[in-house]
Amino acid sequence: QVQLVESGGGSVQPGGSLRLSCAASKFMEHFAMGWFRQAPGKQREGISCISRDGETDYADSVKDRFTISRDNDKKMVYLQMNNLKPEDTAVYYCARKVVCLGSSWIEGSWGQGTQVTVSS
């Protein structure tokens, strides 16, 4: 699998916003795309997914705060994060999925991730 490249992370105060970006490939239109995160001492948490047709799904922990989108022409996937909370602190990864249903992450598709830190 061609590795994806995540960017846009940073350090913000609670209530702040960040937009994460994921640089994909010319093949991204064939896949559902999603974001997962992993924090120290916690399991991997799938947080959002967008299907090939643009249908979206969110984990309860981020619903109504995060918005996933994709631009197939630009080969980009985005995650707009608003009203950030300290518990959102984690490394965020973008990944390919076969379909949005279930934890169908395609192993090896994600990159090194981007750090999001929410404090103060």
Side-chain angles (χ1 to χ4, degrees), residues 93-110:
Y93 301 87
C94 176
R96 300 183 183 92
K97 301 189 72 175
V98 179
V99 294
C100 279
L101 182 65
S103 297
S104 60
W105 307 104
I106 297 177
E107 295 289 341
S109 67
W110 54 88

Side-chain angles (χ1 to χ4, degrees), residues 54-103:
E55 298 176 353
T56 60
D57 191 27
Y58 300 91
D60 289 341
S61 59
V62 305
K63 192 170 297 182
D64 299 323
R65 298 189 298 118
F66 292 9
T67 302
I68 189 171
S69 61
R70 66 190 296 162
D71 186 331
N72 289 339
D73 291 334
K74 295 182 178 180
K75 313 305 179 194
M76 297 289 290
V77 183
Y78 305 99
L79 184 68
Q80 179 66 47
M81 306 185 295
N82 297 325
N83 192 25
L84 284 161
K85 304 176 180 179
E87 51 263 44
D88 293 319
T89 297
V91 177
Y92 284 70
Y93 301 87
C94 176
R96 300 183 183 92
K97 301 189 72 175
V98 179
V99 294
C100 279
L101 182 65
S103 297

Side-chain angles (χ1 to χ4, degrees), residues 4-10 18-23 35 76-79 81 92-94 112-116:
L4 303 173
V5 180
E6 302 92 343
S7 63
L18 286 172
R19 189 188 72 164
L20 306 186
S21 297
C22 170
W35 293 87
M76 297 289 290
V77 183
Y78 305 99
L79 184 68
M81 306 185 295
Y92 284 70
Y93 301 87
C94 176
Q112 298 302 305
T114 184
Q115 177 71 48
V116 172

Side-chain angles (χ1 to χ4, degrees), residues 26-47:
K26 62 180 178 294
F27 303 111
M28 69 169 284
E29 65 268 23
H30 301 295
F31 300 92
M33 302 292 295
W35 293 87
F36 68 86
R37 65 188 182 187
Q38 193 158 31
K42 297 183 179 180
Q43 293 183 286
R44 175 198 293 180
E45 179 186 17
I47 57 175

